[in-house]
Amino acid sequence: MNINDIAGGSEIKIHASINQHNVVLMTEAIFGVKSGLLVKPMEYFGKYMQFLEPSQIQIKNKRDGRIYKFMSTSITPVKTRYGNFHLIRCDSELEPENERKSERFYLEKLGVFRINGNSATIKNCIVHDISMRGMSLIIDNASKVKVGDHIDVTFRYGELLHQYEVAATIVRLFSVSNRPAIGCSISNMNVDLIGLLNTKKSEKYGNIEDSGVIATPIREDIVPTNLNPDISKQQQIVEVEEDLAKQIIPEKNSKERIRSSNPLDPANLEHISREPKTLREQRKEARMAEQAKAIENLLDLKDV
């Protein structure tokens, strides 16, 4: 999976060091373009942030609910016809976080499950725990299951007893406190289950979003950020890629003067004014010109 395949609206955490302080920046994906992933703009004390060195990125992809951790090659501010954004670049392919490392949360809730879509095989169970990639059920001895069976699990949880439905595949048989149990993998995590996991994580750790430095949105009265709702997303991507190409490769007939890379070059110091020379400076230059002329005359006599 490439970085430009990340779904719009996905949550993004950037672990960075600013002025020798480690911070966590939060932003959100807009959409992928050829050169990387366009995200909502980030500010730090009123200035656009730029990371030219690799940074640790964590993205929760909204499309599949999986966590992707990787190192970016650069994170730079970019200007488009729709406003200012940041562009995250990454040369390597993204791999989802190892499912064996996915944290499990205990539920211990009564539920039922159906084996291979057969309504005649509905059995009671206890939903023992659940994670981003799997769940385990405690079943009774009368339930005849085997590895590879597809099951549909239904259970209720929460103050409002919201009903959750999960499609899973049995991957192992084991026991919990001498009771038979099955371990299952979940191929597609739906929105309800993602919300449940976020609730369990908040119950355990508190609101994790408060631990980071939230990316400050750009003031709308200065730089509006507004995608065009009248055209398709694909057309928006094409237009943004055109704007990015102009920034990377300036137009051939551009009248903008290329400035020196020297930060002390007076051409780069806008606060330096170029006032007319004083009378003293003019006299000094005249004396130097006379001395240069005298040296030239002496050299001419030497040649003779």
Side-chain angles (χ1 to χ4, degrees), residues 133-149:
R133 301 303 300 156
M135 65 190 308
S136 62
L137 310 177
I138 298 174
I139 60 178
D140 56 39
N141 292 320
S143 299
K144 303 299 180 182
V145 296
K146 63 182 183 297
V147 173
D149 282 344

Side-chain angles (χ1 to χ4, degrees), residues 15-244:
H15 297 263
S17 177
I18 301 176
N19 296 331
Q20 298 182 348
H21 294 286
N22 295 324
V23 298
V24 180
L25 298 161
M26 309 293 298
T27 186
E28 182 179 308
I30 302 297
F31 49 63
V33 293
K34 291 180 181 178
S35 53
L37 179 65
L38 206 67
V39 302
K40 287 186 176 180
M42 295 170 285
E43 285 185 343
Y44 187 71
F45 286 98
K47 295 183 178 180
Y48 289 112
M49 309 183 70
Q50 182 167 249
F51 307 93
L52 298 179
E53 296 182 358
S55 301
Q56 178 70 41
I57 310 293
Q58 176 179 313
I59 297 180
K60 183 178 181 181
N61 192 13
K62 195 172 183 179
R63 182 176 293 111
D64 58 13
R66 306 182 77 174
I67 302 295
Y68 295 83
K69 293 183 177 179
F70 60 94
M71 297 297 291
S72 66
T73 54
S74 67
I75 306 174
T76 54
V78 293
K79 184 176 182 180
T80 73
R81 68 192 67 184
Y82 297 121
N84 290 341
F85 300 91
H86 269 76
L87 183 68
I88 300 179
R89 292 183 174 91
C90 179
D91 293 336
S92 59
E93 290 192 0
L94 309 188
E95 294 293 338
E97 190 177 23
N98 192 331
E99 62 186 54
R100 291 174 295 178
K101 295 182 181 179
S102 297
E103 184 175 10
R104 290 184 176 268
F105 298 96
Y106 293 97
L107 294 182
E108 300 296 335
K109 289 294 179 182
L110 290 173
V112 296
F113 70 100
R114 180 178 59 181
I115 306 171
N116 294 324
N118 187 353
S119 298
T121 61
I122 293 179
K123 303 288 184 181
N124 293 323
C125 67
I126 296 177
V127 181
H128 181 55
D129 59 37
I130 189 169
S131 73
M132 185 62 73
R133 301 303 300 156
M135 65 190 308
S136 62
L137 310 177
I138 298 174
I139 60 178
D140 56 39
N141 292 320
S143 299
K144 303 299 180 182
V145 296
K146 63 182 183 297
V147 173
D149 282 344
H150 298 283
I151 62 173
D152 299 300
V153 184
T154 303
F155 65 95
R156 293 183 179 275
Y157 185 81
E159 295 180 356
L160 301 178
L161 295 178
H162 181 77
Q163 180 170 299
Y164 295 90
E165 298 179 356
V166 189
T169 303
I170 299 175
V171 294
R172 69 186 184 107
L173 307 177
F174 63 106
S175 62
V176 175
S177 301
N178 296 322
R179 293 179 295 177
I182 55 177
C184 310
S185 66
I186 303 174
S187 56
N188 292 308
M189 182 71 65
N190 59 41
V191 175
D192 275 358
L193 287 177
I194 293 174
L196 173 60
L197 288 171
N198 287 336
T199 300
K200 297 297 293 183
K201 187 174 292 186
S202 297
E203 291 174 357
K204 185 174 181 179
Y205 299 108
N207 190 353
I208 59 174
E209 304 299 339
D210 294 339
S211 61
V213 176
I214 307 301
T216 306
I218 307 304
R219 287 172 51 187
E220 297 295 334
D221 58 333
I222 297 178
V223 184
T225 300
N226 183 26
L227 298 178
N228 188 350
D230 297 329
I231 63 175
S232 66
K233 178 182 176 181
Q234 191 59 38
Q235 182 60 31
Q236 293 178 24
I237 293 175
V238 171
E239 292 181 351
V240 168
E241 287 178 344
E242 291 175 353
D243 296 338
L244 295 178

Side-chain angles (χ1 to χ4, degrees), residues 283-299:
R283 289 175 178 175
K284 184 178 179 180
E285 289 183 357
R287 288 198 304 269
M288 292 178 65
E290 291 177 359
Q291 291 175 1
K293 187 65 175 178
I295 292 174
E296 289 180 4
N297 293 335
L298 289 174
L299 292 176

